[in-house]
Structure formats: C-alpha cells, structure tokens
Amino acid sequence: MPRFYFDLVDGTTVPDASGQILRSELLAAEVADKLAGDIYKIRPELRGKHFAISVRNEEGEEIHRADVVSSDD
C-alpha cells in the first residue's frame, strides 16, 4: 500500500516526515479533510490565515489540498 504525507502549509510548510500508509488517494484526501476540520476546531488561532493540509504521494507530488475552514463554510 502507498504512503501519503500530510503537510501543514500557509506561506511556509511544516512537513510530515513519517506519513501514513493508506489504501488510496481518495482515502488520503478524506483523512486530510478530516484533519483540516479537526485543526479548525482545536486551533482557533489558525482560522482565517490560509492554512491548509497538503497531501503528498510517495513521489512528492501534491494530490490534494484541504483548507483549514469550518465544515459549515
């Protein structure tokens, strides 16, 4: 199974060094969306500052980006 990396990005990137092994890109995108929603809830200081979770595949290509916003937005 492939490994995916979930980086926190705004103007700079906080890279995910270990990643997570998941079955598919679709599942990785779902994990990123949930993570972004969780960050919105537990880290209010990041709201409205253009933070996102960038998902990279094993080749280092971004395959998905989930903005840190309310699920109601």
Side-chain angles (χ1 to χ4, degrees):
M1 281 194 280
R3 182 175 296 272
F4 297 94
Y5 300 88
F6 301 84
D7 303 330
L8 179 64
V9 296
D10 65 344
T12 60
T13 299
V14 178
D16 173 5
S18 58
Q20 192 172 7
I21 296 172
L22 298 167
R23 291 188 188 270
S24 68
E25 289 185 5
L26 179 61
L27 184 55
E30 291 174 2
V31 168
D33 292 344
K34 180 173 183 341
L35 180 57
D38 290 347
I39 289 171
Y40 182 87
K41 291 175 189 170
I42 63 174
R43 299 286 305 271
E45 71 275 14
L46 300 183
R47 295 177 187 170
K49 296 185 179 175
H50 308 290
F51 279 87
I53 300 298
S54 171
V55 183
R56 292 181 289 121
N57 61 19
E58 292 173 310
E59 291 77 34
E61 301 165 329
E62 182 179 78
I63 60 159
H64 182 73
R65 185 171 287 232
D67 293 328
V68 176
V69 296
S70 168
S71 58
D72 297 335
D73 290 350

mmCIF file of all heavy atoms in Angstrom, residues 36-57:
data_model
loop_
_atom_site.group_PDB
_atom_site.id
_atom_site.type_symbol
_atom_site.label_atom_id
_atom_site.label_comp_id
_atom_site.label_asym_id
_atom_site.label_seq_id
_atom_site.Cartn_x
_atom_site.Cartn_y
_atom_site.Cartn_z
ATOM 1 N N ALA A 36 -8.034 18.700 8.568
ATOM 2 C CA ALA A 36 -8.218 20.149 8.437
ATOM 3 C C ALA A 36 -9.391 20.621 9.294
ATOM 4 O O ALA A 36 -9.313 21.662 9.957
ATOM 5 C CB ALA A 36 -8.437 20.526 6.977
ATOM 6 N N GLY A 37 -10.476 19.867 9.303
ATOM 7 C CA GLY A 37 -11.624 20.209 10.142
ATOM 8 C C GLY A 37 -11.300 20.138 11.624
ATOM 9 O O GLY A 37 -11.719 20.998 12.408
ATOM 10 N N ASP A 38 -10.532 19.126 12.006
ATOM 11 C CA ASP A 38 -10.122 18.994 13.411
ATOM 12 C C ASP A 38 -9.226 20.162 13.830
ATOM 13 O O ASP A 38 -9.371 20.701 14.922
ATOM 14 C CB ASP A 38 -9.391 17.672 13.637
ATOM 15 C CG ASP A 38 -10.298 16.459 13.539
ATOM 16 O OD1 ASP A 38 -11.544 16.622 13.532
ATOM 17 O OD2 ASP A 38 -9.757 15.336 13.457
ATOM 18 N N ILE A 39 -8.304 20.541 12.959
ATOM 19 C CA ILE A 39 -7.419 21.669 13.262
ATOM 20 C C ILE A 39 -8.246 22.940 13.439
ATOM 21 O O ILE A 39 -7.996 23.739 14.340
ATOM 22 C CB ILE A 39 -6.354 21.846 12.164
ATOM 23 C CG1 ILE A 39 -5.345 20.694 12.243
ATOM 24 C CG2 ILE A 39 -5.649 23.190 12.290
ATOM 25 C CD1 ILE A 39 -4.385 20.635 11.080
ATOM 26 N N TYR A 40 -9.243 23.133 12.586
ATOM 27 C CA TYR A 40 -10.112 24.308 12.698
ATOM 28 C C TYR A 40 -10.748 24.365 14.088
ATOM 29 O O TYR A 40 -10.829 25.433 14.696
ATOM 30 C CB TYR A 40 -11.195 24.268 11.625
ATOM 31 C CG TYR A 40 -12.101 25.476 11.654
ATOM 32 C CD1 TYR A 40 -11.760 26.627 10.960
ATOM 33 C CD2 TYR A 40 -13.282 25.473 12.383
ATOM 34 C CE1 TYR A 40 -12.579 27.749 10.993
ATOM 35 C CE2 TYR A 40 -14.103 26.587 12.422
ATOM 36 C CZ TYR A 40 -13.746 27.722 11.728
ATOM 37 O OH TYR A 40 -14.553 28.829 11.772
ATOM 38 N N LYS A 41 -11.178 23.219 14.592
ATOM 39 C CA LYS A 41 -11.857 23.175 15.891
ATOM 40 C C LYS A 41 -10.908 23.387 17.062
ATOM 41 O O LYS A 41 -11.243 24.084 18.017
ATOM 42 C CB LYS A 41 -12.567 21.833 16.056
ATOM 43 C CG LYS A 41 -13.749 21.654 15.145
ATOM 44 C CD LYS A 41 -14.321 20.257 15.285
ATOM 45 C CE LYS A 41 -15.364 19.997 14.221
ATOM 46 N NZ LYS A 41 -15.767 18.596 14.166
ATOM 47 N N ILE A 42 -9.719 22.758 17.010
ATOM 48 C CA ILE A 42 -8.846 22.767 18.191
ATOM 49 C C ILE A 42 -7.757 23.828 18.166
ATOM 50 O O ILE A 42 -7.114 24.062 19.179
ATOM 51 C CB ILE A 42 -8.213 21.377 18.438
ATOM 52 C CG1 ILE A 42 -7.304 20.975 17.286
ATOM 53 C CG2 ILE A 42 -9.284 20.337 18.676
ATOM 54 C CD1 ILE A 42 -6.528 19.694 17.531
ATOM 55 N N ARG A 43 -7.547 24.473 17.010
ATOM 56 C CA ARG A 43 -6.522 25.519 16.896
ATOM 57 C C ARG A 43 -7.131 26.797 16.336
ATOM 58 O O ARG A 43 -6.866 27.191 15.202
ATOM 59 C CB ARG A 43 -5.376 25.050 15.996
ATOM 60 C CG ARG A 43 -4.598 23.821 16.458
ATOM 61 C CD ARG A 43 -3.667 24.107 17.612
ATOM 62 N NE ARG A 43 -2.737 25.191 17.364
ATOM 63 C CZ ARG A 43 -1.537 25.068 16.803
ATOM 64 N NH1 ARG A 43 -1.109 23.902 16.405
ATOM 65 N NH2 ARG A 43 -0.767 26.131 16.649
ATOM 66 N N PRO A 44 -7.977 27.473 17.119
ATOM 67 C CA PRO A 44 -8.666 28.659 16.612
ATOM 68 C C PRO A 44 -7.718 29.764 16.140
ATOM 69 O O PRO A 44 -8.096 30.572 15.288
ATOM 70 C CB PRO A 44 -9.525 29.120 17.791
ATOM 71 C CG PRO A 44 -8.943 28.474 18.991
ATOM 72 C CD PRO A 44 -8.300 27.202 18.519
ATOM 73 N N GLU A 45 -6.496 29.787 16.634
ATOM 74 C CA GLU A 45 -5.547 30.820 16.205
ATOM 75 C C GLU A 45 -5.121 30.662 14.742
ATOM 76 O O GLU A 45 -4.563 31.585 14.149
ATOM 77 C CB GLU A 45 -4.312 30.835 17.119
ATOM 78 C CG GLU A 45 -3.385 29.654 16.963
ATOM 79 C CD GLU A 45 -3.765 28.417 17.769
ATOM 80 O OE1 GLU A 45 -4.896 28.331 18.284
ATOM 81 O OE2 GLU A 45 -2.909 27.516 17.872
ATOM 82 N N LEU A 46 -5.396 29.515 14.147
ATOM 83 C CA LEU A 46 -5.056 29.286 12.736
ATOM 84 C C LEU A 46 -6.199 29.639 11.789
ATOM 85 O O LEU A 46 -6.009 29.652 10.571
ATOM 86 C CB LEU A 46 -4.644 27.826 12.513
ATOM 87 C CG LEU A 46 -3.436 27.331 13.309
ATOM 88 C CD1 LEU A 46 -3.118 25.890 12.931
ATOM 89 C CD2 LEU A 46 -2.230 28.228 13.113
ATOM 90 N N ARG A 47 -7.353 29.935 12.324
ATOM 91 C CA ARG A 47 -8.519 30.250 11.490
ATOM 92 C C ARG A 47 -8.304 31.552 10.719
ATOM 93 O O ARG A 47 -7.758 32.509 11.240
ATOM 94 C CB ARG A 47 -9.770 30.375 12.352
ATOM 95 C CG ARG A 47 -10.158 29.087 13.010
ATOM 96 C CD ARG A 47 -11.353 29.280 13.903
ATOM 97 N NE ARG A 47 -11.618 28.062 14.649
ATOM 98 C CZ ARG A 47 -12.486 27.984 15.644
ATOM 99 N NH1 ARG A 47 -13.178 29.053 16.002
ATOM 100 N NH2 ARG A 47 -12.669 26.845 16.263
ATOM 101 N N GLY A 48 -8.761 31.557 9.473
ATOM 102 C CA GLY A 48 -8.717 32.752 8.655
ATOM 103 C C GLY A 48 -7.321 33.173 8.221
ATOM 104 O O GLY A 48 -7.112 34.299 7.800
ATOM 105 N N LYS A 49 -6.353 32.285 8.318
ATOM 106 C CA LYS A 49 -4.971 32.630 7.979
ATOM 107 C C LYS A 49 -4.439 31.784 6.824
ATOM 108 O O LYS A 49 -3.243 31.653 6.651
ATOM 109 C CB LYS A 49 -4.076 32.469 9.203
ATOM 110 C CG LYS A 49 -4.462 33.439 10.311
ATOM 111 C CD LYS A 49 -3.519 33.363 11.465
ATOM 112 C CE LYS A 49 -3.941 34.371 12.534
ATOM 113 N NZ LYS A 49 -3.139 34.268 13.723
ATOM 114 N N HIS A 50 -5.333 31.210 6.051
ATOM 115 C CA HIS A 50 -4.964 30.478 4.837
ATOM 116 C C HIS A 50 -4.130 29.223 5.091
ATOM 117 O O HIS A 50 -3.304 28.858 4.245
ATOM 118 C CB HIS A 50 -4.271 31.396 3.833
ATOM 119 C CG HIS A 50 -5.052 32.639 3.552
ATOM 120 N ND1 HIS A 50 -6.228 32.627 2.845
ATOM 121 C CD2 HIS A 50 -4.847 33.922 3.926
ATOM 122 C CE1 HIS A 50 -6.708 33.849 2.780
ATOM 123 N NE2 HIS A 50 -5.903 34.652 3.429
ATOM 124 N N PHE A 51 -4.332 28.567 6.220
ATOM 125 C CA PHE A 51 -3.659 27.296 6.474
ATOM 126 C C PHE A 51 -4.390 26.190 5.731
ATOM 127 O O PHE A 51 -5.602 26.263 5.504
ATOM 128 C CB PHE A 51 -3.630 26.972 7.972
ATOM 129 C CG PHE A 51 -2.541 27.689 8.716
ATOM 130 C CD1 PHE A 51 -2.749 28.956 9.211
ATOM 131 C CD2 PHE A 51 -1.306 27.097 8.902
ATOM 132 C CE1 PHE A 51 -1.758 29.633 9.896
ATOM 133 C CE2 PHE A 51 -0.293 27.752 9.579
ATOM 134 C CZ PHE A 51 -0.518 29.024 10.082
ATOM 135 N N ALA A 52 -3.641 25.163 5.367
ATOM 136 C CA ALA A 52 -4.220 24.019 4.671
ATOM 137 C C ALA A 52 -3.379 22.776 4.966
ATOM 138 O O ALA A 52 -2.232 22.880 5.415
ATOM 139 C CB ALA A 52 -4.263 24.260 3.166
ATOM 140 N N ILE A 53 -3.974 21.636 4.691
ATOM 141 C CA ILE A 53 -3.252 20.371 4.725
ATOM 142 C C ILE A 53 -2.999 19.966 3.277
ATOM 143 O O ILE A 53 -3.938 19.825 2.491
ATOM 144 C CB ILE A 53 -4.060 19.268 5.447
ATOM 145 C CG1 ILE A 53 -4.362 19.668 6.890
ATOM 146 C CG2 ILE A 53 -3.319 17.925 5.380
ATOM 147 C CD1 ILE A 53 -3.148 19.871 7.769
ATOM 148 N N SER A 54 -1.738 19.809 2.939
ATOM 149 C CA SER A 54 -1.342 19.369 1.605
ATOM 150 C C SER A 54 -0.988 17.891 1.686
ATOM 151 O O SER A 54 -0.167 17.487 2.517
ATOM 152 C CB SER A 54 -0.133 20.169 1.127
ATOM 153 O OG SER A 54 0.390 19.628 -0.061
ATOM 154 N N VAL A 55 -1.598 17.094 0.837
ATOM 155 C CA VAL A 55 -1.314 15.656 0.807
ATOM 156 C C VAL A 55 -0.341 15.382 -0.326
ATOM 157 O O VAL A 55 -0.589 15.741 -1.475
ATOM 158 C CB VAL A 55 -2.600 14.830 0.586
ATOM 159 C CG1 VAL A 55 -2.282 13.343 0.639
ATOM 160 C CG2 VAL A 55 -3.662 15.187 1.605
ATOM 161 N N ARG A 56 0.778 14.750 0.012
ATOM 162 C CA ARG A 56 1.770 14.345 -0.985
ATOM 163 C C ARG A 56 1.796 12.826 -1.094
ATOM 164 O O ARG A 56 1.657 12.121 -0.096
ATOM 165 C CB ARG A 56 3.173 14.808 -0.581
ATOM 166 C CG ARG A 56 3.392 16.278 -0.596
ATOM 167 C CD ARG A 56 4.823 16.630 -0.202
ATOM 168 N NE ARG A 56 5.047 16.392 1.227
ATOM 169 C CZ ARG A 56 5.966 15.568 1.720
ATOM 170 N NH1 ARG A 56 6.753 14.872 0.939
ATOM 171 N NH2 ARG A 56 6.109 15.446 3.043
ATOM 172 N N ASN A 57 2.014 12.350 -2.314
ATOM 173 C CA ASN A 57 2.193 10.912 -2.507
ATOM 174 C C ASN A 57 3.669 10.565 -2.304
ATOM 175 O O ASN A 57 4.488 11.428 -1.974
ATOM 176 C CB ASN A 57 1.675 10.467 -3.880
ATOM 177 C CG ASN A 57 2.396 11.131 -5.037
ATOM 178 O OD1 ASN A 57 3.501 11.669 -4.901
ATOM 179 N ND2 ASN A 57 1.771 11.102 -6.194
#
